[in-house]
Amino acid sequence: MSPDTLTTVDAPQVEAESEEQILARARGAARRALIRTWGLRAVLVVLWLGAWELTASLWIDPFFYSKPSLIWQRIVEWFTEGTQFGSIWLQLFTTVEEAVLGFVIGAVAGVVLGVLLGRSRYWAEVLAPFIKALNAVPRIVLASLFIIWFGLGLESKVATVVVLTFFAVFFNAFTGAREVDGNVINNARILGASRWQVLSQIVLPSATTWILSSLHTAFGFALIGAVVGEYAGASKGLGLLISNAQGTFDAAGIYAGMIIITVVALLAEWGIGFAEGRLLKWRPPLVTSAREV
């Protein structure tokens, strides 16, 4: 075998090895960047909690401002011994149930009405003043009215969550439906597509990015609505724990309730982000330059 033949045979192997090395270096760089990011986050949290603990021990009154050690004790107490209103898991389940039910109802209603009005300029113009007026109503105040209508049970909390969630999803769905390329819709109609086919196969998929981006904010509003509804009046739930802690001047209990709600919100955010990534696999990944990282 001649040297030229050897060079021809070995060249692809050398090229393949270089590609593998490039991929290995890229993975290593991404792993190191992730470690640095989480490391910096951990350092910031430790510094913040340490400064709070030190300040509350030396200068400010922990009765009013509490401190991380007392908050941790209250969380441990709730999860090991329970609360004044029963198991912490019952309170947590109640709040999450109210938030999820209201979130689903409000999100579905917001998507349906947003897409339909987004494709109907006439009805959008007719209903625009009413929608703006409803959006201007201080919806948090409606929690007290819903308690009068529906009582202290699940219904009043779900109604509050629906009102808070609906508009967050509606306006994004409305905008997403309006942003669909008109040429694509006209071409589909020329090819014989019905109105339902245009909505289900063109408009709704095109507005998916807008809708999914609104769900991140909407679930946060759902938790707020559930807690506010329980705060206004309830027999169980995390909002009731926070309200009771305020009435007994238990600052650690207020912070503990806030932390539990925050953890639930972060888990829900992760779940929505995971679902968004699965549904939007077709979307090209964002390119981030090395300087931005």
Side-chain angles (χ1 to χ4, degrees):
M1 185 177 293
S2 64
D4 294 336
T5 307
L6 288 175
T7 303
T8 305
V9 173
D10 294 338
Q13 297 180 356
V14 174
E15 184 179 353
E17 290 176 358
S18 63
E19 290 178 357
E20 293 177 357
Q21 292 173 356
I22 292 173
L23 290 175
R25 284 198 299 270
R27 295 192 190 99
R31 191 181 303 110
R32 288 191 296 271
L34 183 62
I35 293 174
R36 285 197 303 269
T37 300
W38 280 100
L40 181 57
R41 290 172 180 172
V43 170
L44 291 176
V45 171
V46 170
L47 290 176
W48 169 50
L49 295 178
W52 184 2
E53 183 77 21
L54 182 63
T55 304
S57 300
L58 299 178
W59 294 292
I60 62 177
D61 190 350
F63 178 79
F64 296 104
Y65 300 97
S66 190
K67 54 184 180 179
S69 59
L70 295 178
I71 297 170
W72 176 250
Q73 290 176 9
R74 180 68 72 248
I75 294 175
V76 171
E77 177 186 341
W78 281 355
F79 279 94
T80 56
E81 302 177 10
T83 68
Q84 295 179 347
F85 305 98
S87 170
I88 183 62
W89 296 107
L90 175 62
Q91 318 306 320
L92 180 59
F93 174 79
T94 300
T95 301
V96 172
E97 180 185 21
E98 296 162 353
V100 170
L101 286 176
F103 172 76
V104 171
I105 296 172
V108 171
V111 169
V112 172
L113 292 180
V115 170
L116 291 179
L117 291 182
R119 300 311 307 168
S120 176
R121 292 188 177 275
Y122 175 75
W123 283 108
E125 292 178 0
V126 170
L127 299 177
F130 303 102
I131 294 173
K132 293 178 180 178
L134 289 174
N135 188 42
V137 173
R139 295 184 289 277
I140 295 296
V141 181
L142 292 176
S144 302
L145 187 61
F146 290 147
I147 289 177
I148 296 176
W149 290 355
F150 305 116
L152 297 177
L154 180 71
E155 294 81 4
S156 60
K157 315 305 181 298
V158 172
T160 304
V161 173
V162 169
V163 171
L164 284 173
T165 304
F166 170 79
F167 288 99
V169 179
F170 170 81
F171 287 113
N172 269 39
F174 180 85
T175 304
R178 282 287 180 90
E179 293 294 325
V180 179
D181 190 353
N183 293 327
V184 177
I185 295 177
N186 292 334
N187 291 335
R189 287 174 176 170
I190 291 174
L191 294 174
S194 64
R195 178 172 296 183
W196 168 249
Q197 289 175 326
V198 170
L199 281 176
S200 62
Q201 299 180 20
I202 298 177
V203 176
L204 194 58
S206 299
T208 299
T209 302
W210 288 83
I211 295 170
L212 290 177
S213 65
S214 69
L215 297 183
H216 295 276
T217 304
F219 194 82
F221 285 148
L223 283 174
I224 292 173
V227 172
V228 168
E230 294 168 352
Y231 198 91
S235 58
K236 53 188 175 181
L238 294 176
L240 177 62
L241 292 182
I242 296 175
S243 177
N244 180 72
Q246 179 195 11
T248 57
F249 295 95
D250 181 14
I254 296 176
Y255 283 114
M258 291 169 56
I259 290 173
I260 295 173
I261 294 170
T262 301
V263 171
V264 173
L266 291 175
L267 291 175
E269 175 74 15
W270 175 84
I272 294 173
F274 178 78
E276 182 179 6
R278 297 296 297 270
L279 292 174
L280 298 179
K281 283 185 176 181
W282 52 268
R283 185 175 60 182
L286 295 176
V287 178
T288 305
S289 65
R291 292 181 179 180
E292 292 177 345
V293 176

